[in-house]
Amino acid sequence: MCGFYTLDDNQDNLNLFNIEGLPTLSNIIPNLDNFNEKAEVLTDIGLIEISKINPDIHTIKNQKIIGVTKTISLDNFFIIFEKDSIDINIPNKKSIVSKKHKIYHKEKFIEAIELIDNKNIKKINNSGNKILYNIFMKNHSIMYVNNMIVETLHPNNIIAQLYLLNSYK
């Protein structure tokens, strides 16, 4: 599992996010399949920051979003992708992904750690715990985040299951 982050072009390090007020579901679990709050997800009505997605309103590829999870990552490092490091406009901005995050590359999904090239795709230290988001749908699917094709959270993933349990309370 993994996480995904974005950096501004002039930003060298990851920023810590405020963790006050997290819902009960937000657990400290390592190696999650998630994205930072500013990651841009392509929805059926256009690009929306993942933290602003409303499952009651937004859809992806005409499929209902079941939930947007919020968790904390304890990964000790992430993989940084410079803009255009995979292809022209992929990603469309400097992006950080957890080491296990699967990205579509050369007609298959590959973990980010396998794409390190020491030039445009490399490791960056995690300076602290990060709040992460992800989207899950009825069926395991794909979505575009910062113009990269990535997978959604699998509905059988423990975080998706905890989200569903928490939403019935």
Side-chain angles (χ1 to χ4, degrees):
M1 291 188 272
C2 55
F4 186 95
Y5 305 88
T6 352
L7 294 176
D8 295 330
D9 288 335
N10 61 354
Q11 195 175 8
D12 294 325
N13 297 310
L14 294 171
N15 288 324
L16 292 174
F17 295 98
N18 181 353
I19 61 171
E20 292 179 16
L22 287 177
T24 306
L25 174 62
S26 297
N27 299 293
I28 299 176
I29 301 174
N31 299 319
L32 294 170
D33 191 14
N34 298 299
F35 308 86
N36 86 319
E37 64 189 6
K38 299 289 184 183
E40 295 179 329
V41 177
L42 181 60
T43 69
D44 292 330
I45 62 168
L47 292 172
I48 300 176
E49 288 181 3
I50 197 166
S51 63
K52 296 179 180 174
I53 289 177
N54 181 337
D56 294 328
I57 298 171
H58 302 112
T59 56
I60 296 174
K61 298 181 349 180
N62 294 317
Q63 300 294 313
K64 179 173 175 35
I65 296 169
I66 302 298
V68 180
T69 63
K70 187 176 180 182
T71 53
I72 297 173
S73 174
L74 299 176
D75 282 349
N76 57 358
F77 71 89
F78 302 100
I79 310 301
I80 187 167
F81 288 78
E82 296 294 333
K83 182 183 183 308
D84 304 322
S85 59
I86 295 176
D87 205 344
I88 296 171
N89 210 32
I90 303 173
N92 60 4
K93 61 178 71 176
K94 188 182 287 188
S95 303
I96 303 233
V97 181
S98 70
K99 58 190 172 192
K100 298 261 184 197
H101 196 94
K102 291 185 180 176
I103 298 168
Y104 191 75
H105 180 64
K106 294 187 178 178
E107 300 184 22
K108 63 182 177 177
F109 281 95
I110 299 173
E111 289 182 357
I113 196 165
E114 296 178 41
L115 294 171
I116 293 174
D117 66 7
N118 296 318
K119 182 179 177 188
N120 296 314
I121 304 172
K122 53 193 168 204
K123 289 182 182 180
I124 184 172
N125 287 332
N126 177 4
S127 59
N129 297 336
K130 306 293 176 226
I131 295 175
L132 304 172
Y133 297 78
N134 204 348
I135 292 173
F136 74 98
M137 300 158 71
K138 181 179 178 184
N139 297 308
H140 190 217
S141 187
I142 62 168
M143 62 182 168
Y144 284 84
V145 177
N146 293 346
N147 207 35
M148 293 190 293
I149 300 173
V150 299
E151 61 185 339
T152 60
L153 185 66
H154 196 288
N156 292 336
N157 180 285
I158 188 68
I159 298 302
Q161 296 299 308
L162 288 171
Y163 180 92
L164 289 173
L165 286 173
N166 195 53
S167 65
Y168 291 121
K169 291 183 179 181

